[in-house]
Amino acid sequence: MSTENEGNAVPPAPSAPPVPVASPAPPQGDAGATAQLPPVPSGPPEQHPYGPPTQSYGAPEGSWPPPPPPGTPGYGEAGAGGAGGGWGASYQQPAPKPAGGGRGGLIAAVLVAALVAGGLGGGLGYTLAKDNDDQGSTTVSASDNGASQVKRAPGTIAGVASRALPSTVTIEAESNSGEGGTGTGFVFDTQGHIVTNNHVVAEAVDGGKLSATFPDGRKYAAEVVGHAQGYDVAVIKLKNAPSDLKPLSLGNSDQVAVGDETIAIGAPFGLSNTVTTGIISAKNRPVASSDGSSSSKASYMSALQTDASINPGNSGGPLLNASGAVIGINSAIQSTSGGSFGSGQSGSIGLGFAIPINQAKYVAQQLIKSGKPVYAKIGASVSLEESADGAKITDQGTGGADAVESGGPAAKAGLKPGDVITKLDDSVIDSGPTLIGEIWTHKPGDKVKVTYTRGGDQHTVDLTLGSRVGDS
């Protein structure tokens, strides 16, 4: 299964809805009220529909970073990577603003429309009420008991959201060239570490700008502590972090069941602090993502699938269970335009995918500790071709290297070129990328059972996973 990432350039879209003539003039300084929406393509987007789990996604294990297979789509227009941004509302260096500044874009257009509608509605409401009062009618209003905010029970969605929102942030990443985007992250510890997706912060890795804004408006500069391309996980740290940070509690993604309620928090299309709900639709979905370019580095996950509405900008945000514990990091969607957030600004159709938090927690801890990711490996290169039969060990590795690493885990277990791996423990393996994603749910040193076929015969061997440090 594959999904779109950043990197898809988009042409202009119609401007935001015009303000009616009779509407009040916007406050001075709101110069962005009529800013244009993110551009969309003039023609139909290239289709990358989700296929069955047999679709090939990744690269041979023998090299890193692995190039994606032909036609592999990416994460969607999301965070800050590629020409089109990644997993967030696409962002580009703004043009010079008129005196007084302005917010612009989709948010400004929505706000203006809301204010105009609110003004008209209020006027009509007042007129009707006045006429009724003249006729001696009365109305009864429920008292708010002086409460400025309505409280909800802890077990409700509103209660979970009210506790979790203060610990989420909207991330803005910008490269030295001015390209970038927005995404989401959440507080990991009291030291100021924020967990998000790698593709959200990719543009800011090499000297770019990075900031995180809390729902209460507090904004902090941040820096990348470490990032893992293969896992699509990154950790940033707030500069001058406040002392009142409250990390979100982490759940156990291994105990998630299909049908469990889910709550997603993010900034879809730049609309920060958005809460949506759904259920766990499936577990262990093999998903690979890239930006579809020839130089793309693929990411792999054995994902949690949810129908909670997630869109460009949700990337890196928490997927919570009904108790408010984080069970995953929202990372990819499938959409009607072939999964591309960059093609036509497509949105949710109820197929979202999250990195299980058990895996993300391990990766984040490694990044905080050393700044580099650590990957489990079997020490063999596998075919990228689409196949329903399993993951075939190639005859030769990348760049002429041996397909089976001498002295590596696969060699010690007796695996050879041509063997087709069909199961890892109890998980069915239908392709090379599925095998990679499944291996990466484990840690180096874990012992696994590998089932494979050779010459038509099936064999099972025990294998102790090795390790590889870094993305390259």
Side-chain angles (χ1 to χ4, degrees), residues 33 74 76 90 101 143 166 183 209 239 329 340 353 370 374 403 428 442 447:
S90 87
S143 172
K209 297 179 181 179
K239 297 180 180 179
I329 301 177
S340 169
F353 304 93
S370 66
V374 178
V428 175
H442 293 78
K447 293 183 179 181

Side-chain angles (χ1 to χ4, degrees), residues 226-253:
H227 60 105
Q229 170 66 46
Y231 292 122
D232 197 21
V233 174
V235 175
I236 67 175
K237 187 174 184 181
L238 305 179
K239 297 180 180 179
N240 301 314
S243 59
D244 60 347
L245 291 176
K246 296 181 179 179
L248 290 181
S249 60
L250 305 183
N252 185 344
S253 51

Side-chain angles (χ1 to χ4, degrees), residues 121-147:
L124 292 173
Y126 173 78
T127 301
L128 294 174
K130 183 177 184 300
D131 291 343
N132 287 336
D133 286 345
D134 290 342
Q135 298 173 7
S137 65
T138 59
T139 58
V140 178
S141 299
S143 172
D144 64 1
N145 296 321

Side-chain angles (χ1 to χ4, degrees), residues 394-413:
T394 57
D395 294 328
Q396 192 175 58
T398 303
D402 292 336
V404 177
E405 178 186 327
S406 178
K412 291 179 179 178

Side-chain angles (χ1 to χ4, degrees), residues 247-265:
L248 290 181
S249 60
L250 305 183
N252 185 344
S253 51
D254 290 341
Q255 295 180 354
V256 169
V258 173
D260 283 351
E261 290 182 298
T262 57
I263 302 169
I265 299 179

Side-chain angles (χ1 to χ4, degrees), residues 29 51 63 70 131 198 204 221 251 253 257 277 296 370 425 429 433 450 458:
S63 66
D131 291 343
N198 172 75
S253 51
T277 64
S296 174
S370 66
D425 288 333
I429 304 301
V450 175
Q458 181 172 290

Side-chain angles (χ1 to χ4, degrees), residues 164-172 183-198 200-201 210-215 218 220-227 232-239 241-242 244-248 250 315-318 329 357 360 363-365 367-368:
L165 276 168
S167 297
T168 62
V169 296
T170 298
I171 297 172
E172 295 181 10
T184 308
F186 61 91
V187 177
F188 188 69
D189 59 28
T190 57
Q191 285 71 51
H193 291 110
I194 305 292
V195 172
T196 184
N197 282 140
N198 172 75
V200 169
V201 304
L210 195 64
S211 66
T213 304
F214 286 85
R218 291 181 297 171
Y220 298 88
E223 60 185 355
V224 178
V225 172
H227 60 105
D232 197 21
V233 174
V235 175
I236 67 175
K237 187 174 184 181
L238 305 179
K239 297 180 180 179
D244 60 347
L245 291 176
K246 296 181 179 179
L248 290 181
L250 305 183
S315 191
I329 301 177
I357 195 60
V363 177
Q365 289 173 334
L367 293 176
I368 292 172

Side-chain angles (χ1 to χ4, degrees), residues 458-472:
Q458 181 172 290
H459 308 272
T460 299
V461 294
D462 292 326
L463 183 149
T464 300
L465 296 173
S467 66
R468 187 193 75 234
V469 178
D471 281 321
S472 57

